[in-house]
Amino acid sequence: MSFDVPVVHTVEEMRAFVRARRQAGERIGLVPTMGALHAGHISLVEEARRHAERVIATVFVNPTQFAPGEDFSRYPRTLAADCEKLATVAADLVFAPAVEEMYPSGFCTTVTLEGPAKADLEDHFRPTHFAGVATVVAKLLNQAQADIAVFGEKDYQQLLVIRTMARDLDIPTQILAGPTLRDRDGLAMSSRNVYLSAEDRARAPALHRALADAARRIAEGEVIGHVMGEAREAIVSAGFEIDYVEARHAETLARIARRHEGPIRILAAARLGATRLIDNVAVPAA
């Protein structure tokens, strides 16, 4: 296939690109994705461009972050469409490796995690997920040797896990956050939104409405436990089945009971039918 954005499939090809750009004195930005790109992903490329002359987008559906029974086999794979979207923002390279390139025969190393990866949020429901994420991201950061890498705030716990991993393993790439992009009705953009039925799509914005209302009320001084209880009731009333809806310390994801205990992030995961949605909002500073 031929695209306006060059596509490479091996680590050596990507590294050759990076070497040439570094010799030209240019900074490198990296935007790891699993493809099925939407405007939220494209905004991450635009954010990377603000910090680097050259931007590499990776497209790789990583099998190690899917547990048995999850949607790895049906996760959308749309490389041609992804490259067309990346061309609109002048991404400089797409790295789209095969599974065998990332996990060759004999591969047996993973990253072991504590800290924000063990916060009893996503890790409770997907206990192997972050080890798979951290391992593939560590590989990508090492492969690209980028100056900066951009990850979306929608996957907030993942963002903190990656920042902690990069710090602890002395990976020099600076980890930057891109804000969550939303549809006009507030639903966070996600590749999995395509799975929503028309009825569930109409209900879906209730998740963000409940979180935003809870954040406002906590900022105004209401009791966190009371506010979060009512937020959960509102989400269930909208037709969701809740995995978690929690107010946590925004930097550590530790449990938090009072407004003064630190910056707060409200995080949620809930299901509409067969589709699992995640979202989070910051509680405004007092």
Side-chain angles (χ1 to χ4, degrees):
M1 293 183 291
S2 176
F3 305 101
D4 292 335
V5 180
V7 181
V8 299
H9 302 283
T10 69
V11 174
E12 183 48 44
E13 288 174 306
M14 177 169 63
R15 284 181 167 167
F17 172 87
V18 171
R19 283 194 298 270
R21 303 282 42 96
R22 289 217 181 281
Q23 288 171 2
E26 295 172 334
R27 285 169 55 84
I28 306 296
L30 184 71
V31 180
T33 84
M34 291 209 302
L37 302 186
H38 51 67
H41 295 108
I42 299 306
S43 74
L44 302 183
V45 176
E46 293 172 326
E47 178 64 21
R49 179 72 70 193
R50 286 188 273 272
H51 300 271
E53 287 80 20
R54 301 292 178 176
V55 178
I56 301 169
T58 73
V59 176
F60 178 64
V61 183
N62 176 39
T64 67
Q65 67 191 69
F66 290 81
E70 291 187 340
D71 59 349
F72 173 71
S73 62
R74 71 185 185 110
Y75 195 89
R77 291 159 171 83
T78 57
L79 181 59
D82 293 340
C83 290
E84 290 175 2
K85 291 173 183 175
L86 290 167
T88 67
V89 286
D92 296 283
L93 189 75
V94 173
F95 176 49
V99 171
E100 295 75 18
E101 179 73 8
M102 296 298 285
Y103 301 109
S105 176
F107 184 89
C108 59
T109 302
T110 58
V111 178
T112 300
L113 302 163
E114 296 292 338
K118 296 294 180 69
D120 200 31
L121 295 167
E122 282 296 293
D123 52 293
H124 178 84
F125 295 90
R126 306 179 71 190
T128 64
H129 175 69
F130 286 126
V133 169
T135 298
V136 77
V137 171
K139 287 175 66 68
L140 290 169
L141 296 177
N142 182 47
Q143 290 163 352
Q145 298 285 298
D147 296 282
I148 62 101
V150 185
F151 296 84
E153 284 189 342
K154 185 179 76 70
D155 297 288
Y156 191 78
Q157 187 177 7
Q158 173 180 284
L159 172 65
L160 295 190
V161 168
I162 290 167
R163 278 182 170 163
T164 302
M165 177 200 69
R167 180 199 69 198
D168 290 351
L169 298 183
D170 301 313
I171 297 173
T173 304
Q174 182 184 8
I175 306 302
L176 303 179
T180 302
L181 257 65
R182 301 181 180 279
D183 290 331
R184 289 188 175 185
D185 57 10
L187 179 64
M189 292 184 181
S190 170
S191 301
R192 289 187 169 94
N193 290 352
V194 298
Y195 299 151
L196 292 167
S197 67
E199 180 181 358
D200 287 341
R201 177 61 187 82
R203 295 177 178 178
L207 179 63
H208 178 249
R209 286 198 299 270
L211 301 189
D213 181 64
R216 175 188 57 79
R217 293 172 61 188
I218 291 171
E220 291 172 353
E222 293 191 46
V223 176
I224 290 176
H226 175 71
V227 171
M228 296 310 300
E230 292 195 346
R232 294 183 191 102
E233 291 177 3
I235 292 166
V236 169
S237 296
F240 286 85
E241 181 179 342
I242 290 175
D243 281 354
Y244 59 84
V245 178
E246 299 277 345
R248 296 295 186 91
H249 192 287
E251 297 170 359
T252 67
L253 298 184
R255 298 181 188 279
I256 196 164
R258 296 175 181 83
R259 180 72 185 89
H260 71 271
E261 292 176 8
I264 301 173
R265 200 90 182 186
I266 301 176
L267 304 97
R271 299 175 187 272
L272 274 176
T275 305
R276 186 174 188 266
L277 302 178
I278 65 171
D279 203 348
N280 66 88
V281 297
V283 172

